Amino acid sequence: MDETELVYLRNKFALVIVLVFQNQYPHEWPSFFDDLLALLASTSGTPKHPAAIDMFLRISLALDDEVVNLYIQRSGEDTKRNADIKDAMRVSAVGRLTETWYNILTSSWQTNPEVANVCLNLFARYVSWIDIKLVVGQDFISGLYQFLTTEPLRMAACQCLTEIVNKGMKPLDKLGLLQALNVTDVLGQLDIEGDVEFAEQVAKLVNVMGVELGRCWEESDSFPEAKEAAVGMLSQVFPFLIKLFGNEYDDTTSVLFPFLDKYLAVIKKEKRAGGDLALERYEANLLELLRVVIFKMKYDEEEDWQFGAGAGEDEAAFSEMRKSLKVYFDAVAAIDRNLFITCVSTTVCTTLDDLTVRGMGAKTWSEAELALHLLYLFSEALFSLEKGSPSFTVTAPDGTVSVTPLGEMVSKMLKSNISSYPHDSIPFVFFDNVARYASFFESFVEFIPDVLGPFVDTRGLHHENSSVRSRVSYHFLKFVEKLRTRALPYVDNVLTSIQDLLIVRRPPPTLPSPPTTPVTPKPGSTATSFDSQLYLFEAVGMLISLDPAQPEKQVELLTAVIRPLMNQMEEIMQKELYKQDVPPDNVVFTTQLNHIIRAIGSTSKGFPDFNTAVKTVQAVPAWTAVFKQALQAIVVVLERLNSSELIREASRYSFQRMVGCMGPEAMEHIRPLVTAGLLSSSTAKELVDFIPFIALIIHRFSPTISPVINDLFPPLTDRIFFYLNQPASGTDDAFEALELRRQYLVFITHIFNANMEEILISETNMPRLNTITQSVLHYANDCSDPASQKAAFSVIGRMIGAWGGAPARPAKSESGSGAKSNGSTKTSPVMKKKGMVGAKMDRAQSAPQLLPDGTTKLSPALSQSQSQQQQQQQQQQSQSQAIQAEIPAKPPLPGFDRFLLDQVLPNLFAVPLKPEFSLADGSAIAVMGEIATCHKLISAAMGEGYYDYLINVFLPSIGCPGAIAEQFVGGLRGLEAKSFRKFLTSFIQNMKA
């Protein structure tokens, strides 16, 4: 039997003994420790055979594992039993155990370090719950400090000392212990060079000392002398913190974070209590701390770092380390602003000055990168605390303007030509700084050429590293967006410099996927280089749009960008190159078309948005014609390739962005795009993305968009219901259907919010009205989706406000289905044109009739008596306290009152009475709010007739006693909306009880 098997058997035997002990001690086997220790002692008092010592130590370790260790998850019963065992052990056993361990330790540390290490480990394990006096004796501590300088034992000795310092004690007792131990004296004698593990263990000891001293300081408010003693000891330990924090290994540094957190917390509290004067004693330490934090932020040049796409785990780990260090970097800034500014600005400016005077060879790449990184962090550390923006100049009371330290650092960065440093790390952080401090160029316009040059040459957009180009493309867009007209003098040169980057290149063919795992190309699953190229197209659009005073030049520049893209598109279509694609794996030409169309759309995004707030007729910009031509070409592509999701996605992408800048001029292209197949072949996911865009168009361009939406409504809703009626084949399908349902309800809500509900009852859409109303009722009944349920009841409320004859409509809101339904809204365009009286008669005579069974038909003219009755209802509604109206009411839709009573009203009670509808759920309370609003809207629309129907017909039909019905109607009649919501919730709770 080999040694490994023997060790395994010994451990198992020790475990068996301890399990028996756990069940028998102290009642059935009270002499366990007497029997155990008797095996070790001989008549002369010396230990017996080494095997007995070995088994004794293994049993002692197993006792900790099975009984003592608090870090092992145990049941409540086991925890109580183990606590009783420990109490019994404290009475007599623990003292004898520690004495035996100490004897074995002193007799074996020179001859058998392995056994001595086990003894030290046992002391470390047990010290947390035994009397500290059993461990902290003069002889033991002297020996422990000797072991700290003995290489075979120092790791275990350091662990043991760490646990002694970490033992839970009262603050004053802990201070006394730490003073008695005087650990700082021995720390100065330890040699940690070359031993990574020992250095980390010493760091753990220092960390525990710092944390415990900080805790003693916090918990000694009633003892000023103790607080002062704790601060004094912290000052003694601090040099060891700095030494170990600057260790080359980040694991050692990370160990000290809790100590540093506690130390900074002490300083912050001292500052709050004593102001800046209290900081004087800490200034030197804070400066040392900031310097070592900055030192740890520097890349180690001995390592082989990769930047951009080649970055791996090491780079990610260092990035996380920098984030952790930033916490302390920012903390020093918060504690002592002036010290922070002086230290950081000196460090950065020294590096940049050396580069300016002596050239790129004056500093290593890691030093140059560190200076830029510190500059990037500088404003975050200062201005995030002040909730302000970075300032680059300051004006004195006498009007003198001077440069701030931040302004000086940015100007030195640009003067130093550091962007030319030949290392891939530099452009990333250089352009990060340019983008972050773009407002600098508002005050120092003379530096704009100094940064535009690096942007457009091989240091930026033409850099050989694709990851650099991608990052710079985004920063270039943000930079141009910030500069705006200040970039106008440089537009021609910039566009000339990047003309070669505005070509949409054909993507490389992809390798076929294995037959068992086919891959379908998805929109947006293109190369990162093209995604970043879209930022560039948007920036170009922004640059071209800067000078509206020269429309001819704008058209010329825009044409120079768009025409080559259209030529590429036309070539692919005329030569039918897309037929060479072999979907789903190889779709090179279709993907190129996707890229071209999206590039056109991104270019349009750079142009200013059409101002919908201006009600007067606005001049159509000349460049609009260029985008119109592009849209016509896109329609041609879509007509021929509407079966491709890539083409449909690109067409939506481009059109959505063109609408922003073209405004109503783009509306004429909605019909051609839909006719070309934008909707007929769309997937459920595409609809989820497309519906919010249509809702946005409704919001921005109502009421002029009404005819377009009227024509779009049939194919859009047909496609929506096609997918909503499909059974879900998996989790993804179910989720998409749920999202589509919610977007559909939001879409209907926006129609009502925009006063465009005439669309739903137009001759074109009349056949779908019943489907719409029944679908809304269906979703209102579905308790499994509270969000859709709430939205559905919100839509019902809007229907009541529009067609019920209520004195007020739901308030127009941008929040979709979550909008309130008792606010004011504008008069519809039809009413504005014809006048209120004429509008009432015209609509009452021509409106379709909604029958009680949910079907609809065109209604004949109303009789005079019906008209008078409606006018009386409207007069009553205008006096309603539940909904405050600011505009005249619309007349009711004929037959809608029966629809409310026969189909809506039953659901207002049936839904909250369902067992699965839990009023304890917050989302259910939100649904109850919408239900209460519907009750109020119906009562405002129908007045006394609704109250009579509830008391005499409906509530008795569901078994509600007359007195309870009267109580409900009284609440509905007399309470304002908010109080009624609470009343209705209580009413339903009582009915469900």
Side-chain angles (χ1 to χ4, degrees):
M1 185 178 293
D2 60 23
E3 184 63 25
T4 302
E5 292 175 331
L6 286 173
V7 170
Y8 175 80
L9 289 175
R10 289 167 186 162
N11 287 335
K12 285 301 180 182
F13 179 75
L15 177 61
V16 170
I17 295 295
V18 169
L19 291 176
V20 173
F21 159 83
Q22 196 174 29
N23 286 278
Q24 300 292 318
Y25 184 84
H27 302 295
E28 286 79 8
W29 194 359
S31 61
F32 173 82
F33 289 102
D34 296 331
D35 300 337
L36 179 64
L37 294 171
L39 297 175
L40 292 174
S42 65
T43 55
S44 61
T46 57
K48 280 192 174 183
H49 196 277
I53 295 176
D54 178 78
M55 184 52 59
F56 168 73
L57 295 179
R58 290 181 191 277
I59 291 174
S60 298
L61 291 172
L63 276 171
D64 177 73
D65 292 336
E66 299 300 322
V67 178
V68 176
N69 198 317
L70 298 176
Y71 297 104
I72 298 176
Q73 190 73 24
R74 309 182 197 276
S75 67
E77 182 180 348
D78 288 345
T79 301
K80 183 180 182 306
R81 180 191 59 193
N82 291 345
D84 293 339
I85 292 175
K86 288 193 292 183
D87 290 341
M89 289 175 64
R90 288 189 185 99
V91 175
S92 60
V94 171
R96 298 163 65 192
L97 286 173
T98 55
E99 182 182 358
T100 305
W101 298 335
Y102 178 72
N103 291 334
I104 296 173
L105 173 64
T106 55
S107 63
S108 63
W109 70 273
Q110 292 178 312
T111 59
N112 194 341
E114 184 178 353
V115 170
N117 277 321
V118 174
C119 293
L120 290 171
N121 186 16
L122 284 168
F123 277 110
R125 290 191 180 203
Y126 280 72
V127 72
S128 65
W129 64 278
I130 64 177
D131 188 348
I132 189 65
K133 295 177 183 178
L134 296 173
V135 180
V136 182
Q138 182 64 41
D139 293 340
F140 180 79
I141 296 301
S142 298
L144 193 63
Y145 287 172
Q146 182 180 0
F147 300 151
L148 281 171
T149 58
T150 304
E151 187 168 349
L153 301 176
R154 63 182 187 173
M155 276 291 292
C158 192
Q159 290 172 356
C160 183
L161 184 57
T162 301
E163 292 302 322
I164 293 173
V165 172
N166 196 38
K167 180 176 174 60
M169 300 172 67
K170 294 180 180 179
L172 296 183
D173 294 337
K174 177 57 68 72
L175 278 175
L177 173 65
L178 294 177
Q179 288 172 336
L181 291 174
N182 198 17
V183 178
T184 53
D185 282 354
V186 71
L187 284 175
Q189 304 171 20
L190 300 181
D191 180 16
I192 61 174
E193 298 298 328
D195 192 333
V196 178
E197 292 183 357
F198 184 59
E200 185 174 340
Q201 186 57 53
V202 173
K204 290 178 181 179
L205 172 60
V206 172
N207 177 69
V208 167
M209 289 187 63
V211 170
E212 288 299 303
L213 286 168
R215 183 180 65 83
C216 291
W217 183 89
E218 292 173 343
E219 298 177 5
S220 301
D221 291 338
S222 302
F223 304 95
E225 299 84 359
K227 292 180 78 72
E228 189 61 30
V231 169
M233 295 182 69
L234 279 171
S235 299
Q236 295 175 9
V237 179
F238 186 81
F240 301 102
L241 165 70
I242 294 299
K243 178 181 178 180
L244 292 162
F245 199 87
N247 190 277
E248 61 178 315
Y249 292 97
D250 290 343
D251 288 343
T252 302
T253 301
S254 301
V255 165
L256 293 159
F257 287 164
F259 177 12
L260 202 48
D261 290 332
K262 189 69 72 174
Y263 185 74
L264 292 173
V266 169
I267 298 177
K268 289 176 182 177
K269 291 177 181 177
E270 290 262 39
K271 179 182 178 181
R272 283 197 294 268
D276 290 339
L277 290 176
L279 289 180
E280 292 181 1
R281 67 192 297 184
Y282 297 107
E283 279 188 2
N285 286 355
L286 285 173
L287 183 58
E288 280 192 79
L289 173 60
L290 183 58
R291 285 173 175 167
V292 75
V293 167
I294 290 173
F295 169 76
K296 287 295 297 183
M297 286 182 172
K298 187 167 76 74
Y299 279 98
D300 184 355
E301 293 193 25
E302 294 182 2
E303 300 290 334
D304 183 19
W305 301 100
Q306 298 295 322
F307 297 89
E313 293 182 1
D314 290 342
E315 289 77 13
F318 186 71
S319 177
E320 289 300 315
M321 185 63 182
R322 274 188 164 182
K323 290 178 183 178
S324 299
L325 293 169
K326 181 181 179 298
V327 173
Y328 307 110
F329 186 79
D330 294 348
V332 175
I335 293 171
D336 195 329
R337 174 188 174 90
N338 293 332
L339 179 147
F340 173 83
I341 292 174
T342 301
C343 178
V344 175
S345 61
T346 300
T347 304
V348 173
C349 290
T350 299
T351 299
L352 295 176
D353 287 341
D354 283 350
L355 292 172
T356 302
V357 175
R358 298 161 52 199
M360 297 301 108
K363 294 291 181 181
T364 64
W365 70 264
S366 64
E367 292 173 324
E369 193 276 343
L370 177 63
L372 293 176
H373 182 66
L374 294 175
L375 175 55
Y376 183 80
L377 298 181
F378 184 84
S379 64
E380 275 188 18
L382 290 179
F383 299 103
S384 61
L385 297 169
E386 302 170 358
K387 301 187 183 303
S389 56
S391 57
F392 306 97
T393 60
V394 60
T395 303
D398 62 356
T400 305
V401 178
S402 58
V403 180
T404 64
L406 176 59
E408 182 182 11
M409 286 188 285
V410 175
S411 62
K412 285 180 180 292
M413 177 187 75
L414 298 171
K415 292 176 182 177
S416 69
N417 197 31
I418 194 173
S419 60
S420 298
Y421 201 106
H423 195 272
D424 283 353
S425 66
I426 301 302
F428 285 104
V429 66
F430 173 79
F431 288 107
D432 284 348
N433 279 327
V434 170
R436 167 159 287 188
Y437 301 122
S439 55
F440 169 85
F441 301 93
E442 297 175 4
S443 302
F444 299 90
V445 293
E446 66 272 18
F447 285 104
I448 293 178
D450 295 330
V451 74
L452 284 177
F455 258 123
V456 301
D457 63 20
T458 55
R459 291 169 287 181
L461 293 172
H462 286 87
H463 198 281
E464 62 181 2
N465 188 323
S466 61
S467 297
V468 172
R469 296 197 300 271
S470 296
R471 178 84 70 91
V472 174
S473 296
Y474 175 75
H475 287 323
F476 181 65
L477 169 61
K478 294 304 176 184
F479 185 71
V480 171
E481 188 176 6
K482 188 69 177 179
L483 288 187
R484 292 290 181 179
T485 55
R486 293 178 180 82
L488 189 58
Y490 313 100
V491 169
D492 290 343
N493 289 337
V494 168
L495 292 180
T496 300
S497 300
I498 63 175
Q499 187 68 39
D500 60 312
L501 302 177
L502 302 179
I503 299 173
V504 176
R505 304 192 184 279
R506 188 169 299 160
T510 57
L511 295 176
S513 302
T516 55
T517 56
V519 177
T520 302
K522 296 181 179 179
S525 61
T526 51
T528 302
S529 59
F530 174 71
D531 292 337
S532 61
Q533 194 178 12
L534 292 177
Y535 295 129
L536 194 57
F537 278 105
E538 184 178 346
V540 166
M542 201 173 293
L543 288 169
I544 294 173
S545 69
L546 290 177
D547 191 6
Q550 301 187 60
E552 297 82 4
K553 184 177 180 180
Q554 285 183 320
V555 171
E556 178 184 350
L557 293 175
L558 180 59
T559 302
V561 175
I562 299 297
R563 188 67 253 176
L565 298 175
M566 293 179 62
N567 290 341
Q568 286 182 286
M569 191 160 51
E570 290 170 2
E571 179 187 7
I572 294 174
M573 298 307 294
Q574 290 174 0
K575 296 181 180 180
E576 296 184 334
L577 298 176
Y578 55 85
K579 291 186 176 180
Q580 299 179 24
D581 290 344
V582 184
D585 298 300
N586 199 337
V587 285
V588 172
F589 292 101
T590 305
T591 301
Q592 187 179 14
L593 285 172
N594 171 281
H595 290 182
I596 293 169
I597 295 171
R598 290 168 64 197
I600 294 171
S602 291
T603 305
S604 70
K605 188 181 178 183
F607 282 76
D609 283 347
F610 179 83
N611 190 354
T612 57
V614 177
K615 300 305 179 183
T616 57
V617 177
Q618 302 179 49
V620 178
W623 45 261
T624 301
V626 180
F627 289 125
K628 280 188 172 183
Q629 293 177 1
L631 270 176
Q632 292 169 359
I634 292 171
V635 169
V636 172
V637 175
L638 182 61
E639 284 178 341
R640 197 176 303 181
L641 297 174
N642 56 42
S643 61
S644 170
E645 187 176 349
L646 284 169
I647 300 301
R648 296 195 305 272
E649 184 272 341
S651 301
R652 285 195 312 275
Y653 176 96
S654 187
F655 182 65
Q656 289 172 1
R657 284 150 182 78
M658 289 188 187
V659 165
C661 65
M662 295 174 64
E665 294 296 314
M667 294 301 100
E668 64 186 69
H669 294 278
I670 291 182
R671 290 188 183 93
L673 284 168
V674 173
T675 304
L678 191 61
L679 286 178
S680 61
S681 302
S682 60
T683 63
K685 184 179 182 301
E686 290 177 82
L687 287 174
V688 169
D689 295 334
F690 186 61
I691 293 173
F693 170 65
I694 297 299
L696 179 62
I697 289 178
I698 292 173
H699 168 71
R700 293 189 63 185
F701 300 109
S702 62
T704 56
I705 194 65
S706 182
V708 175
I709 302 300
N710 185 66
D711 292 344
L712 177 64
F713 191 82
L716 179 58
T717 53
D718 287 350
R719 197 65 181 166
I720 290 172
F721 286 127
F722 171 79
Y723 284 110
L724 289 178
N725 292 327
Q726 297 294 320
S729 58
T731 304
D732 291 342
D733 288 347
F735 179 77
E736 284 184 358
L738 189 63
E739 286 299 310
L740 182 57
R741 173 198 298 188
R742 293 173 181 174
Q743 290 300 332
Y744 159 67
L745 291 169
V746 169
F747 172 56
I748 300 298
T749 299
H750 273 277
I751 290 176
F752 281 99
N753 284 347
N755 292 331
M756 291 167 49
E757 62 274 3
E758 290 86 357
I759 290 173
L760 302 177
I761 54 176
S762 68
E763 187 171 358
T764 301
N765 296 312
M766 193 66 234
R768 292 170 177 79
L769 181 57
N770 180 51
T771 303
I772 299 297
T773 56
Q774 295 304 313
S775 67
V776 173
L777 285 173
H778 172 73
Y779 298 137
N781 271 279
D782 187 359
C783 297
S784 66
D785 180 16
S788 296
Q789 192 174 41
K790 179 181 181 296
F793 276 114
S794 179
V795 171
I796 291 171
R798 282 159 170 75
M799 289 180 178
I800 299 169
W803 296 331
R809 293 282 310 282
K812 184 174 182 179
S813 169
E814 297 179 14
S815 59
S817 61
K820 295 181 180 179
S821 48
N822 60 349
S824 61
T825 185
K826 61 185 179 181
T827 309
S828 73
V830 176
M831 292 181 182
K832 288 179 180 178
K833 293 178 181 178
K834 297 184 178 180
M836 275 307 301
V837 176
K840 289 180 182 179
M841 293 302 298
D842 179 78
R843 174 153 177 191
Q845 292 170 0
S846 61
Q849 185 174 6
L850 186 62
L851 299 179
D853 63 356
T855 59
T856 53
K857 67 177 182 179
L858 294 178
S859 174
L862 292 173
S863 65
Q864 184 67 26
S865 61
Q866 288 175 318
S867 179
Q868 292 173 353
Q869 182 181 4
Q870 292 167 4
Q871 292 174 4
Q872 291 172 358
Q873 291 175 348
Q874 293 161 13
Q875 185 176 1
Q876 294 171 351
Q877 293 161 5
S878 65
Q879 300 171 355
S880 171
Q881 296 179 0
I883 302 176
Q884 300 296 326
E886 297 180 2
I887 59 172
K890 292 182 180 181
L893 181 67
F896 190 71
D897 55 348
R898 293 310 313 170
F899 171 75
L900 293 178
L901 297 178
D902 296 343
Q903 298 194 49
V904 174
L905 176 58
N907 285 292
L908 297 183
F909 284 92
V911 169
L913 289 174
K914 288 184 176 183
E916 62 267 30
F917 190 90
S918 173
L919 291 171
D921 189 350
S923 57
I925 296 298
V927 175
M928 284 298 296
E930 296 294 342
I931 292 175
T933 299
C934 290
H935 276 295
K936 278 291 186 180
L937 288 167
I938 297 174
S939 65
M942 300 180 66
E944 292 297 327
Y946 184 54
Y947 302 141
D948 292 342
Y949 186 82
L950 284 169
I951 293 174
N952 299 319
V953 180
F954 180 75
L955 290 176
S957 71
I958 62 172
C960 181
I964 302 299
E966 291 281 357
Q967 181 186 7
F968 175 80
V969 170
L972 178 59
R973 187 199 307 268
L975 296 175
E976 51 87 25
K978 184 176 181 181
S979 298
F980 178 69
R981 284 198 294 269
K982 296 180 180 178
F983 170 83
L984 178 61
T985 301
S986 299
F987 182 84
I988 295 298
Q989 284 175 332
N990 292 334
M991 290 191 70
K992 296 180 74 169

